[in-house]
Amino acid sequence: MTFSNPLFLRLIIIYFFGIWVVYDIYQSFGESVIFGDLLQNILLIVSGVAFILIGIKDLKEYQLTKNKRSLLPLASGIAFVLTTLSLTYYQYNRLNSPSFLEASWSDGDWNGGTLDLKRNGDYVYSSGSGLGQDFFYGTYSIQDGIILLDRPAFDGFLTSRKLILKTVADTIEQKITYEKHLVMINKNGTENPLKYFRIF
């Protein structure tokens, strides 16, 4: 096959869009940016149209020639579609599995984050601003009432792998209110009252 071969050109187009879509979806698991969903949807639409047109061309050529090689672009496209669906299904289950505890922090401006501890022992931590977010995934355990994450630091806010659930009293307009906080524990083993998540 050469570059002037229509079959080869169809394969190049399928692999170009297929690899781009799979890579873009995989990258979105770790970070999201403003307008990222819109751009991804445009990519999926363009790729889908290209796949349909090439698939129709492959089937017509196969009917004329009975050459199974004519179906290579279509078969490759189907493989990319199945890979994309598998990745999407995997991420959906990872994000939507039942939660054991959800907590969040905010600096009062655009920046903030959410820690979602799943019942299956996994967690999802997202951190960022209105312009985009980074996502972290891992596992946790609970020992003697202390939540232990599988990594020591994530970003500028979550800088400890140890957290403890505390009930904190606060006085607002001469009324005492109680909030549940997920407080970070420093390397020296002391609680840091300035580093905490609010429980949903």
Side-chain angles (χ1 to χ4, degrees):
M1 289 188 291
T2 64
F3 283 103
S4 60
N5 188 321
L7 175 61
F8 184 73
L9 290 175
R10 296 200 301 273
L11 269 174
I12 289 294
I13 294 172
I14 285 292
Y15 272 84
F16 173 77
F17 280 111
I19 292 173
W20 189 1
V21 168
V22 170
Y23 176 78
D24 186 68
I25 289 177
Y26 181 77
Q27 282 293 104
S28 70
F29 294 171
E31 62 179 356
S32 67
V33 296
I34 189 170
F35 303 129
D37 289 341
L38 175 62
L39 296 175
Q40 188 176 86
N41 287 334
I42 292 173
L43 173 60
L44 290 173
I45 291 171
V46 173
S47 302
V49 171
F51 170 67
I52 292 172
L53 294 177
I54 288 175
I56 292 173
K57 178 66 177 177
D58 288 353
L59 292 173
K60 288 182 177 179
E61 187 173 305
Y62 176 72
Q63 289 177 345
L64 292 174
T65 64
K66 301 303 180 183
N67 187 348
K68 293 182 179 180
R69 293 177 62 186
S70 302
L71 299 176
L72 278 175
L74 177 60
S76 299
I78 292 173
F80 281 119
V81 169
L82 293 176
T83 301
T84 300
L85 292 176
S86 297
L87 285 173
T88 304
Y89 179 75
Y90 169 75
Q91 181 67 355
Y92 177 84
N93 285 337
R94 183 159 61 167
L95 294 177
N96 293 282
S97 61
S99 297
F100 164 69
L101 183 149
E102 292 182 79
S104 66
W105 68 270
S106 173
D107 65 356
D109 199 1
W110 276 32
N111 302 306
T114 300
L115 179 63
D116 186 357
L117 302 178
K118 304 294 186 179
R119 292 181 184 174
N120 60 8
D122 294 335
Y123 66 79
V124 180
Y125 175 57
S126 61
S127 174
S129 66
L131 298 177
Q133 287 190 321
D134 293 321
F135 296 89
F136 305 88
Y137 308 90
T139 59
Y140 73 94
S141 60
I142 300 177
Q143 298 179 11
D144 299 324
I146 296 176
I147 297 171
L148 300 175
L149 306 179
D150 63 348
R151 56 190 294 174
F154 298 79
D155 56 5
F157 180 81
L158 184 49
T159 55
S160 173
R161 67 185 298 258
K162 294 182 179 181
L163 304 105
I164 187 169
L165 187 61
K166 304 283 289 187
T167 299
V168 180
D170 192 10
T171 302
I172 300 176
E173 297 180 354
Q174 298 182 343
K175 292 183 179 180
I176 299 177
T177 60
Y178 295 92
E179 281 190 347
K180 288 187 177 181
H181 289 179
L182 200 57
V183 181
M184 294 183 210
I185 299 176
N186 296 325
K187 292 181 180 179
N188 58 10
T190 60
E191 298 174 13
N192 186 344
L194 300 179
K195 288 274 192 173
Y196 63 87
F197 293 84
R198 283 189 168 89
I199 306 299
F200 283 13

